[in-house]
Amino acid sequence: MKILMAGDIVGSPGRTVFASVVTRMKADGRVDFVVVNAENSAGGNGMTMKIADDLFAAGADAITLGDHAWNQKELLTTIERDERVVRPSNFAPAHPGKGIVTVSTDWGPITVINIIGRVFLKPMDCPFREMEKLLKEPGLGRVILVDFHAEATSEKVAMGHFLDGRVSAVVGTHTHVQTSDARVLKKGTAYQTDLGMTGPRDSVIGCKKEAILHSFLTGLPVRFEVASEEVFLEGVLIDVDEKSGRARSIKTVREAL
C-alpha cells in the first residue's frame, strides 16, 4: 500500500495545496492513506477542529500535532471529538487527547503515533521510553507510522535507529525544512529526518520574509504573518507491505497546486 506523510501545514495556503494535491493523488491511485501534521494550520498558529474536519474531507486519514497543539485554546476542549487527531503522546498526563490511534482500512488496521522531542524544546517525558510503552499496547496494526515532532536532527536520527524493524516509518516534523535523507533502514523502517512544509516556500518557514528579516536585523518583536507565494505540499510517499508492515521504499514528495 502507498502512504503519504505530509509535512507541517502552514495557514490557509497550506490547507489549500493539501486539499488540491491529496485529492489529485488519491484520484490517480498514487496514495491509499494520508497522514499530515497540522499544528500550524490555523494562521500558522495551532489548529481548530473545524480545520481538522476540512482536512479529513480533503483526504487526510489521520492528523498529527506538535508543540503548538494548544495555541488555539478551543482545541483543549474539542480534540477528543475525533480520535484521528493525535497530539504528542509524551505530553504530560493531564493533557487532553491521545498520542496514538489505530484506523480501520481496507488494508487492515493502521496505527499512527505522534511523539515530541526534548532537545531544544520544552521539557517533556522521554520520547524513547514513551515509544517502548506504546509499542506494547494491544491492538496495534501491522503498519505503524510515527511522526516524531522534534528540533534536533540527532534526536530524530537516533529515534529512527531505535525503532528500526519495529515500525513501518519514522518521519520528522517541526523544522519546516525538507531533508534529503529518505531511506529504508536496515531492518525495514522507512525514515526521513524532516518532511518539510505544506505551505508557501517563498518565505521564512512559512512566514512573510520581510517581517522575519526585520526581526533578525533589529532584535525587535514583530507580528508573524503567513506568506502566500510558491505554495507546495512536501512530504514522503512510502510503499509498505501491509502483511509484514515493512517498508519497500520511500520517496521525497514536493508537489504544487
Side-chain angles (χ1 to χ4, degrees), residues 6-197:
D8 307 45
I9 291 177
V10 179
S12 60
R15 302 197 305 267
T16 299
V17 73
F18 175 83
S20 174
V21 172
V22 169
T23 298
R24 184 165 65 237
M25 292 181 82
K26 282 197 167 183
D28 293 345
R30 287 186 285 161
V31 171
D32 301 312
F33 190 86
V34 177
V35 181
V36 63
N37 187 290
E39 72 141 10
N40 296 119
S41 56
N45 191 24
M47 188 194 75
T48 66
M49 284 306 295
K50 170 62 169 65
I51 288 174
D53 291 341
D54 291 343
L55 295 176
F56 286 132
D61 295 288
I63 294 172
T64 56
L65 299 170
D67 57 312
H68 298 303
W70 313 128
N71 285 24
Q72 299 293 322
K73 300 305 181 188
E74 69 155 73
L75 202 63
L76 286 164
T77 57
T78 59
I79 188 172
E80 293 177 351
R81 198 183 76 201
D82 195 320
E83 65 176 5
R84 295 174 297 169
V85 177
V86 292
R87 47 77 169 168
S89 186
N90 54 324
F91 276 176
H95 288 235
K98 294 177 64 177
I100 182 171
V101 65
T102 298
V103 182
S104 297
T105 76
D106 292 341
W107 300 271
I110 296 176
T111 298
V112 177
I113 297 172
N114 190 193
I115 50 173
I116 193 166
R118 296 194 294 182
V119 180
F120 307 131
L121 289 169
K122 292 180 180 179
M124 300 289 174
D125 291 344
C126 176
F128 295 88
R129 286 196 294 269
E130 183 69 14
M131 283 304 311
E132 286 283 13
K133 182 183 76 173
L134 292 173
L135 291 178
K136 294 175 182 175
E137 289 198 3
L140 302 183
R142 289 189 181 275
V143 176
I144 302 174
L145 310 171
V146 179
D147 173 355
F148 188 23
H149 195 80
E151 184 79 40
T153 55
S154 59
E155 192 178 20
K156 293 179 183 180
V157 172
M159 184 63 75
H161 290 299
F162 182 67
L163 296 177
D164 187 19
R166 299 199 282 169
V167 302
S168 306
V170 178
V171 297
T173 57
H174 178 66
T175 72
H176 297 199
V177 177
Q178 190 177 59
T179 56
S180 63
D181 59 340
R183 57 185 170 141
V184 177
L185 300 175
K186 290 183 178 180
K187 297 178 183 178
T189 294
Y191 175 82
Q192 182 160 311
T193 298
D194 203 284
L195 296 177
M197 175 180 66

